[in-house]
Amino acid sequence: MPFEKVKQVAPKVSELVMQSILKAIDSGTIEPGGDLLPERDLAIELGVGRGSLRECLAILEFMGIIESRSNRKVVVKTADSIRKAIAFVRLSEQEDVGSAFGEFRRFLETATAHLACERGTAEDFRALRACVDRMEDDLTDPDADREFHAVLARASHNDLFVSLLDLADTRLLTLRLRFFSLPGNPEKALACNRAICQAVVARDKRAAKREMELYLRLIESFAAAEKTGGALV
């Protein structure tokens, strides 16, 4: 499968791989549902290191652009969906939209918590508790934190919010990994998510909003400290 060679310069490798997949779809050499080349061959085709490729494939899988099926990587998004993902990632990574993204994230997360209080079902609440239990079982697993907020979004029963949160989470992927790598941070995130879960299950909208804002401030303070080189949370 012919891919266009990419150069490891800005934009990031993950975006460049997305662009290459997009060009392969546009040229008809691959279709949604088609297999990517094996990792080793794909790295050679793209002209990137396997470490960089492996990282960006994980990001693409997290974004839902590809899926792992047995030992295969399968493209599952259409060209239009990939273009939208590229545009969102590119916009969200610009320095001058950092505060705007923070506002967007706070609005999105507090709105989903509010709707989850109203619309959440017993099944939704069981799934939320299961995510909290998963975090307690392995405090070093950042994906359990991501899954908790994804489940909360689904409990809003608003498909647009679910899709927006999925896209917004792409910007937080590497930040979340760094956050959970530091001692003490996973425990803080667990405490926040447990409190959010309790408020939502109790259908207490005010408490859910308050606890969600505490969680977001925790993550935002970590990101700000990283940027300034100050003490991390």
Side-chain angles (χ1 to χ4, degrees):
M1 177 172 54
F3 280 92
E4 182 174 310
K5 294 279 186 179
V6 297
K7 297 178 181 179
Q8 295 194 45
V9 294
K12 293 182 178 179
V13 174
S14 57
E15 181 184 328
L16 294 172
V17 173
M18 277 195 285
Q19 291 281 12
S20 294
I21 293 174
L22 180 59
K23 289 175 183 176
I25 292 174
D26 285 341
S27 67
T29 58
I30 188 172
E31 297 180 355
D35 290 1
L36 289 178
L37 288 173
E39 186 179 289
R40 179 178 178 181
D41 296 335
L42 186 57
I44 294 172
E45 285 284 336
L46 295 170
V48 300
R50 291 186 68 179
S52 296
L53 176 63
R54 192 173 294 115
E55 179 181 344
C56 73
L57 289 178
I59 292 172
L60 298 184
E61 190 164 357
F62 172 80
M63 294 172 69
I65 290 174
I66 63 174
E67 284 183 1
S68 292
R69 298 178 184 174
S70 298
N71 294 322
R72 303 178 298 137
K73 297 289 187 185
V74 179
V75 177
V76 294
K77 291 288 188 181
T78 63
D80 186 54
S81 295
I82 295 173
R83 288 190 184 93
K84 290 176 180 177
I86 291 170
F88 183 87
V89 170
R90 187 178 295 158
L91 174 64
S92 67
E93 288 178 346
Q94 293 175 8
E95 289 295 326
D96 58 353
V97 298
S99 60
F101 181 84
E103 290 176 354
F104 168 73
R105 179 81 188 197
R106 283 192 296 276
F107 172 81
L108 181 62
E109 290 268 32
T110 54
T112 56
H114 179 98
L115 288 176
C117 289
E118 287 186 349
R119 303 174 181 175
T121 65
E123 183 178 353
D124 293 326
F125 296 159
R126 282 194 295 271
L128 283 173
R129 291 191 187 101
C131 289
V132 173
D133 291 342
R134 179 180 166 190
M135 288 188 72
E136 289 177 338
D137 290 341
D138 184 0
L139 286 170
T140 63
D141 181 9
D143 193 56
D145 176 69
R146 181 203 63 79
E147 181 63 17
F148 174 84
H149 290 269
V151 169
L152 184 63
R154 291 195 291 273
S156 74
H157 294 274
N158 183 309
D159 291 341
L160 181 58
F161 279 3
V162 173
S163 297
L164 287 172
L165 183 65
D166 187 42
L167 281 174
D169 259 346
T170 63
R171 189 177 194 265
L172 297 181
L173 181 58
T174 56
L175 177 67
R176 182 179 269 121
L177 291 173
R178 294 194 302 275
F179 177 87
F180 272 82
S181 70
L182 294 181
N185 284 349
E187 289 85 353
K188 293 175 182 177
L190 171 61
C192 287
N193 287 340
R194 185 188 291 116
I196 293 167
C197 179
Q198 291 171 347
V200 170
V201 170
R203 301 190 187 277
D204 187 336
K205 298 174 186 176
R206 182 175 297 178
K209 181 175 185 288
R210 181 183 66 246
E211 299 300 339
M212 179 61 75
E213 288 175 342
L214 288 173
Y215 168 85
L216 294 172
R217 282 202 292 271
L218 177 68
I219 303 300
E220 288 169 3
S221 65
F222 173 81
E226 272 200 328
K227 185 174 291 187
T228 61
L232 301 179
V233 276

